[in-house]
Coordinates of all heavy atoms in Angstrom, one line a residue:
Y1 N -4.7 19.7 -1.1 CA -4.0 19.3 0.1 C -3.7 17.8 0.2 O -2.5 17.4 0.3 CB -4.9 19.8 1.3 CG -4.2 20.3 2.5 CD1 -3.1 21.1 2.4 CD2 -4.6 19.9 3.8 CE1 -2.5 21.6 3.5 CE2 -3.9 20.4 4.9 CZ -2.9 21.2 4.8 OH -2.2 21.7 5.9
P2 N -4.7 16.9 0.1 CA -4.4 15.5 0.1 C -3.7 15.1 -1.2 O -2.8 14.1 -1.1 CB -5.8 14.8 0.2 CG -6.8 15.8 -0.3 CD -6.2 17.1 0.1
R3 N -3.9 15.7 -2.3 CA -3.2 15.3 -3.5 C -1.7 15.5 -3.3 O -0.9 14.7 -3.7 CB -3.7 16.1 -4.7 CG -5.1 15.8 -5.2 CD -5.4 16.3 -6.6 NE -5.2 17.7 -6.8 CZ -6.2 18.6 -6.6 NH1 -7.4 18.2 -6.4 NH2 -6.0 19.9 -6.8
A4 N -1.3 16.6 -2.7 CA 0.1 16.9 -2.4 C 0.7 15.9 -1.6 O 1.9 15.4 -1.8 CB 0.2 18.3 -1.8
M5 N -0.1 15.4 -0.6 CA 0.5 14.4 0.3 C 0.7 13.1 -0.4 O 1.8 12.4 -0.3 CB -0.5 14.1 1.5 CG -0.8 15.2 2.4 SD 0.6 15.7 3.4 CE 1.1 17.2 2.5
F6 N -0.2 12.7 -1.3 CA 0.0 11.4 -2.0 C 1.1 11.6 -3.1 O 1.9 10.6 -3.2 CB -1.4 11.1 -2.7 CG -2.3 10.2 -1.9 CD1 -3.0 10.8 -0.9 CD2 -2.4 8.9 -2.1 CE1 -3.9 10.0 -0.1 CE2 -3.3 8.1 -1.3 CZ -4.0 8.7 -0.3
K7 N 1.2 12.7 -3.7 CA 2.3 12.9 -4.7 C 3.6 12.8 -4.0 O 4.6 12.4 -4.7 CB 2.1 14.2 -5.4 CG 0.9 14.2 -6.4 CD 0.7 15.6 -7.1 CE -0.4 15.6 -8.1 NZ -0.6 16.9 -8.7
S8 N 3.7 13.2 -2.8 CA 5.0 13.3 -2.1 C 5.6 11.9 -1.9 O 6.8 11.7 -1.7 CB 4.9 14.0 -0.8 OG 4.2 13.1 0.2
V9 N 4.7 10.8 -1.9 CA 5.3 9.5 -1.7 C 5.2 8.7 -3.0 O 5.4 7.5 -3.0 CB 4.5 8.7 -0.6 CG1 4.7 9.3 0.7 CG2 3.0 8.7 -0.9
G10 N 5.0 9.4 -4.2 CA 5.3 8.7 -5.4 C 4.0 8.5 -6.3 O 4.2 8.1 -7.5
Y11 N 2.8 8.9 -5.8 CA 1.6 8.7 -6.7 C 1.5 9.9 -7.6 O 1.9 11.0 -7.3 CB 0.4 8.6 -5.8 CG 0.3 7.4 -4.9 CD1 0.6 7.5 -3.6 CD2 -0.1 6.2 -5.5 CE1 0.6 6.3 -2.8 CE2 -0.2 5.1 -4.7 CZ 0.1 5.1 -3.3 OH 0.1 4.0 -2.5
T12 N 1.1 9.6 -8.9 CA 1.0 10.6 -9.9 C -0.5 11.1 -10.0 O -1.4 10.5 -9.4 CB 1.4 10.0 -11.3 OG1 0.4 9.0 -11.7 CG2 2.8 9.4 -11.2
K13 N -0.7 12.1 -10.8 CA -2.0 12.7 -11.0 C -2.9 11.6 -11.6 O -4.1 11.5 -11.2 CB -1.9 13.9 -11.9 CG -3.3 14.6 -12.1 CD -3.1 15.8 -13.0 CE -4.4 16.5 -13.3 NZ -4.3 17.7 -14.1
K14 N -2.4 10.8 -12.5 CA -3.1 9.8 -13.1 C -3.5 8.7 -12.1 O -4.6 8.2 -12.1 CB -2.3 9.1 -14.3 CG -3.1 8.1 -15.1 CD -2.2 7.5 -16.2 CE -3.0 6.5 -17.0 NZ -2.1 5.9 -18.1
D15 N -2.6 8.3 -11.2 CA -2.8 7.3 -10.2 C -4.0 7.7 -9.4 O -4.9 6.9 -9.0 CB -1.6 7.1 -9.3 CG -0.4 6.5 -10.0 OD1 -0.6 5.8 -11.0 OD2 0.7 6.7 -9.5
L16 N -4.1 9.0 -9.0 CA -5.2 9.5 -8.1 C -6.5 9.6 -8.8 O -7.5 9.9 -8.2 CB -4.8 10.9 -7.5 CG -3.4 10.9 -6.8 CD1 -3.2 12.2 -6.1 CD2 -3.4 9.8 -5.7
S17 N -6.6 9.4 -10.1 CA -7.8 9.4 -10.8 C -8.4 8.0 -10.9 O -9.6 7.9 -11.4 CB -7.6 10.0 -12.3 OG -6.9 9.0 -13.1
K18 N -7.7 7.0 -10.5 CA -8.2 5.6 -10.5 C -8.8 5.3 -9.2 O -8.7 6.0 -8.2 CB -7.0 4.7 -10.8 CG -6.3 4.9 -12.1 CD -5.0 4.0 -12.1 CE -4.2 4.3 -13.4 NZ -3.0 3.4 -13.5
P19 N -9.6 4.2 -9.1 CA -10.1 3.7 -7.8 C -9.0 3.5 -6.8 O -8.0 2.8 -7.1 CB -10.8 2.4 -8.1 CG -11.1 2.5 -9.6 CD -10.0 3.3 -10.2
I20 N -9.1 4.1 -5.6 CA -8.1 4.0 -4.6 C -8.5 2.8 -3.7 O -9.5 2.8 -3.0 CB -8.0 5.3 -3.8 CG1 -7.7 6.5 -4.7 CG2 -6.9 5.1 -2.7 CD1 -6.4 6.4 -5.4
I21 N -7.6 1.8 -3.6 CA -7.9 0.6 -2.9 C -6.9 0.5 -1.7 O -5.7 0.5 -1.8 CB -7.7 -0.6 -3.8 CG1 -8.4 -0.5 -5.1 CG2 -8.1 -1.9 -3.0 CD1 -9.9 -0.4 -4.9
G22 N -7.5 0.5 -0.5 CA -6.7 0.3 0.7 C -6.3 -1.2 0.9 O -7.2 -2.1 0.8
V23 N -5.0 -1.5 1.0 CA -4.5 -2.8 1.2 C -4.2 -2.9 2.7 O -3.1 -2.3 3.1 CB -3.3 -3.2 0.3 CG1 -2.8 -4.6 0.6 CG2 -3.7 -3.0 -1.2
V24 N -5.0 -3.5 3.5 CA -4.9 -3.5 4.9 C -4.2 -4.7 5.4 O -4.9 -5.8 5.4 CB -6.3 -3.3 5.6 CG1 -6.1 -3.0 7.1 CG2 -7.0 -2.1 4.9
S25 N -3.0 -4.6 5.8 CA -2.2 -5.8 6.2 C -2.0 -5.9 7.7 O -1.7 -4.9 8.3 CB -0.8 -5.7 5.4 OG 0.1 -6.7 5.9
S26 N -2.0 -7.1 8.2 CA -1.7 -7.3 9.6 C -0.3 -7.8 9.8 O 0.1 -8.5 10.7 CB -2.6 -8.4 10.2 OG -2.4 -9.6 9.5
F27 N 0.6 -7.4 8.8 CA 2.0 -7.9 8.9 C 2.7 -7.5 10.1 O 2.6 -6.4 10.6 CB 2.8 -7.3 7.7 CG 4.3 -7.5 7.8 CD1 4.9 -8.7 7.7 CD2 5.1 -6.4 8.1 CE1 6.3 -8.8 7.8 CE2 6.4 -6.5 8.3 CZ 7.0 -7.7 8.1
S28 N 3.5 -8.4 10.7 CA 4.5 -8.1 11.7 C 5.6 -9.2 11.7 O 5.4 -10.2 11.0 CB 3.8 -8.1 13.1 OG 3.6 -9.5 13.5
E29 N 6.6 -9.0 12.4 CA 7.8 -9.9 12.3 C 7.9 -10.8 13.5 O 8.8 -11.5 13.6 CB 9.1 -9.1 12.2 CG 9.2 -8.3 10.9 CD 10.6 -7.6 10.8 OE1 11.2 -7.3 11.8 OE2 11.0 -7.4 9.6
F30 N 6.8 -10.8 14.4 CA 7.0 -11.6 15.6 C 6.1 -12.9 15.7 O 6.2 -13.6 16.7 CB 6.9 -10.8 16.8 CG 5.5 -10.4 17.2 CD1 4.9 -11.0 18.3 CD2 4.9 -9.3 16.6 CE1 3.6 -10.6 18.7 CE2 3.7 -8.9 17.0 CZ 3.0 -9.5 18.0
H31 N 5.4 -13.2 14.6 CA 4.7 -14.5 14.6 C 4.4 -15.0 13.2 O 4.2 -14.1 12.3 CB 3.5 -14.6 15.6 CG 2.4 -13.7 15.2 ND1 1.3 -14.2 14.4 CD2 2.0 -12.4 15.5 CE1 0.4 -13.2 14.2 NE2 0.8 -12.2 14.8
P32 N 4.3 -16.3 13.0 CA 4.2 -16.8 11.6 C 2.9 -16.5 10.9 O 2.9 -16.6 9.7 CB 4.4 -18.3 11.8 CG 4.0 -18.6 13.3 CD 4.4 -17.4 14.0
G33 N 1.8 -16.3 11.7 CA 0.6 -16.0 11.0 C 0.5 -14.6 10.3 O -0.2 -14.5 9.3
S34 N 1.3 -13.7 10.8 CA 1.4 -12.3 10.2 C 2.5 -12.2 9.2 O 2.4 -11.4 8.3 CB 1.6 -11.3 11.3 OG 0.4 -11.0 12.0
Y35 N 3.5 -13.0 9.4 CA 4.7 -12.8 8.6 C 4.5 -12.8 7.1 O 5.1 -12.0 6.3 CB 5.8 -13.8 9.0 CG 7.2 -13.4 8.6 CD1 8.0 -12.5 9.4 CD2 7.8 -13.9 7.5 CE1 9.2 -12.2 9.0 CE2 9.1 -13.6 7.1 CZ 9.8 -12.7 7.9 OH 11.1 -12.3 7.5
P36 N 3.7 -13.7 6.5 CA 3.6 -13.8 5.1 C 2.9 -12.6 4.4 O 3.1 -12.3 3.2 CB 2.7 -15.0 4.8 CG 2.6 -15.7 6.1 CD 2.9 -14.7 7.2
N37 N 2.3 -11.7 5.2 CA 1.5 -10.7 4.6 C 2.3 -9.6 4.0 O 1.8 -8.8 3.1 CB 0.5 -10.1 5.7 CG -0.7 -11.0 5.9 OD1 -1.1 -11.8 5.1 ND2 -1.2 -11.0 7.1
K38 N 3.5 -9.4 4.4 CA 4.4 -8.4 3.8 C 4.6 -8.7 2.3 O 4.4 -7.8 1.4 CB 5.7 -8.3 4.5 CG 6.7 -7.2 3.9 CD 7.9 -7.2 4.7 CE 8.8 -6.0 4.3 NZ 10.0 -5.9 5.1
E39 N 4.8 -10.0 2.0 CA 5.0 -10.4 0.6 C 3.7 -10.5 -0.1 O 3.6 -10.0 -1.3 CB 5.7 -11.7 0.5 CG 5.9 -12.2 -0.9 CD 6.5 -13.7 -0.9 OE1 6.5 -14.4 0.1 OE2 6.8 -14.1 -2.0
L40 N 2.7 -11.1 0.5 CA 1.4 -11.2 -0.1 C 0.8 -9.9 -0.5 O 0.1 -9.8 -1.6 CB 0.4 -12.0 0.8 CG 0.8 -13.5 1.0 CD1 -0.2 -14.1 2.0 CD2 0.7 -14.2 -0.3
A41 N 1.0 -8.8 0.3 CA 0.5 -7.5 -0.1 C 1.0 -7.0 -1.4 O 0.3 -6.3 -2.1 CB 0.8 -6.5 1.1
Q42 N 2.3 -7.4 -1.7 CA 2.9 -6.9 -2.9 C 2.2 -7.5 -4.1 O 2.0 -6.9 -5.2 CB 4.4 -7.2 -3.0 CG 5.2 -6.7 -1.7 CD 4.8 -5.3 -1.3 OE1 4.8 -4.4 -2.1 NE2 4.5 -5.1 0.0
F43 N 1.8 -8.8 -4.0 CA 1.1 -9.5 -5.1 C -0.3 -9.0 -5.2 O -0.8 -8.8 -6.3 CB 1.1 -11.0 -4.8 CG 2.4 -11.6 -5.1 CD1 3.4 -11.8 -4.1 CD2 2.8 -12.1 -6.4 CE1 4.6 -12.4 -4.4 CE2 4.0 -12.7 -6.7 CZ 4.9 -12.8 -5.7
V44 N -1.0 -8.7 -4.1 CA -2.3 -8.0 -4.1 C -2.2 -6.7 -4.9 O -3.0 -6.4 -5.8 CB -2.8 -7.8 -2.7 CG1 -4.1 -6.9 -2.7 CG2 -3.2 -9.1 -2.0
K45 N -1.2 -5.9 -4.5 CA -1.0 -4.6 -5.2 C -0.8 -4.7 -6.6 O -1.3 -3.9 -7.4 CB 0.1 -3.8 -4.4 CG -0.3 -3.4 -3.0 CD 0.6 -2.3 -2.4 CE 1.9 -2.9 -2.0 NZ 2.7 -2.0 -1.3
S46 N 0.0 -5.7 -7.1 CA 0.2 -5.9 -8.5 C -1.1 -6.2 -9.2 O -1.3 -5.8 -10.4 CB 1.3 -7.0 -8.7 OG 0.8 -8.3 -8.4

């Protein structure tokens, strides 16, 4: 059930066998303290 949900947004069977890390971002577009997190999250994920 959850594997199907994850696969639907692009994760593979191999991806789901690795440690799953939540990247919890406070990003928003209405103040400067949150704004950088959209980009920084991509570097964290890489």
